[in-house]
């Protein structure tokens, strides 16, 4: 999956990645000659997916810091026979790759999904009301005259 596909498939993770990159770009302008108004303007403009996706495609390793800061830790390990494998958090895989870049691309995709899951709020808990011993109904469907 390329960078644009990842950003579109995982919107919550994309927002975190976009904000992280934008703040790093603004930090790089940490110079008294760069007015705060310009930095604010950059924050308002943001980074479009097409530009961010190109940065991801060219150097996906840049994302390791983003994931580290969000407690999605990626480890790349080298097997004794010369292939690479990945551990993300405490989850490993039985897959292996001939190059580190292939292994890391797998890890980036998996980390996008893991962070999206982590950022997705749980569904609201529906409040239930017991009408009698055999009837339970969502609270919003009952009114005061039912009891």
């Amino acid at each position: 999956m390329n960078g644009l596909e990842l950003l579109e498939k995982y919107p919550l993770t994309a927002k975190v990645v976009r904000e992280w990159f934008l703040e790093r770009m603004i930090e790089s302008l940490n110079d008294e000659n760069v007015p705060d108004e310009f930095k604010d303007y950059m924050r308002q403009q943001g980074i479009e997916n097409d530009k961010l996706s190109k940065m991801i495609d060219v150097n996906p390793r840049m994302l390791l810091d983003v994931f580290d800061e969000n407690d999605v830790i990626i480890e790349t390990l080298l097997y004794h026979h010369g292939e690479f494998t990945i551990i993300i958090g405490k989850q490993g895989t039985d897959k292996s790759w001939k190059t580190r870049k292939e292994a890391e691309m797998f890890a980036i995709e998996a980390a996008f999904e893991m962070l999206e899951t982590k950022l997705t709020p749980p569904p609201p808990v529906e409040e239930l009301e017991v009408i009698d011993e055999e009837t339970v109904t969502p609270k919003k469907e009952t009114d005061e005259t039912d009891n």
Side-chain angles (χ1 to χ4, degrees):
M1 201 176 294
N2 67 32
L4 187 58
E5 292 169 326
L6 289 170
L7 294 169
E8 290 175 350
K9 184 172 181 180
Y10 303 107
L12 299 175
T13 301
K15 181 177 187 238
V16 168
V17 169
R18 188 176 301 102
E19 289 171 357
W20 189 90
F21 274 102
L22 183 60
E23 287 307 312
R24 294 315 160 285
M25 286 177 13
I26 290 170
E27 283 175 12
S28 72
L29 298 173
N30 219 359
D31 183 335
E32 59 216 32
N33 295 328
V34 178
D36 287 338
E37 293 80 18
F38 179 73
K39 294 175 187 176
D40 291 340
Y41 173 77
M42 282 184 63
R43 282 189 185 95
Q44 290 172 349
Q45 294 302 306
I47 305 172
E48 296 173 7
N49 275 357
D50 62 331
K51 291 174 182 60
L52 184 57
S53 68
K54 287 178 182 153
M55 290 190 284
I56 292 170
D57 291 340
V58 169
N59 188 4
R61 289 182 184 164
M62 295 183 304
L63 293 169
L64 295 177
D65 288 336
V66 178
F67 292 122
D68 283 353
E69 288 182 18
N70 287 278
D71 296 322
V72 179
I73 309 300
I74 298 172
E75 296 178 70
T76 306
L77 304 172
L78 178 63
Y79 284 131
H80 62 86
H81 59 275
E83 291 188 338
F84 293 90
T85 191
I86 293 293
I87 297 174
I88 304 174
K90 295 181 182 180
Q91 296 181 5
T93 179
D94 58 357
K95 296 180 182 182
S96 62
W97 296 267
K98 293 183 192 268
T99 68
R100 179 189 299 269
K101 188 168 185 169
E102 291 172 321
E104 288 176 349
M105 274 313 301
F106 169 83
I108 295 299
E109 288 182 32
F112 257 83
E113 183 176 350
M114 291 173 81
L115 185 54
E116 188 77 11
T117 300
K118 187 176 177 180
L119 296 171
T120 301
V125 177
E126 189 173 32
E127 197 174 330
L128 300 176
E129 182 174 22
V130 177
I131 305 296
D132 57 42
E133 289 181 21
E134 296 177 9
T135 309
V136 176
T137 184
K139 192 163 188 130
K140 64 184 176 198
E141 292 180 13
T142 63
D143 62 41
E144 297 299 318
T145 61
D146 285 344
N147 290 345

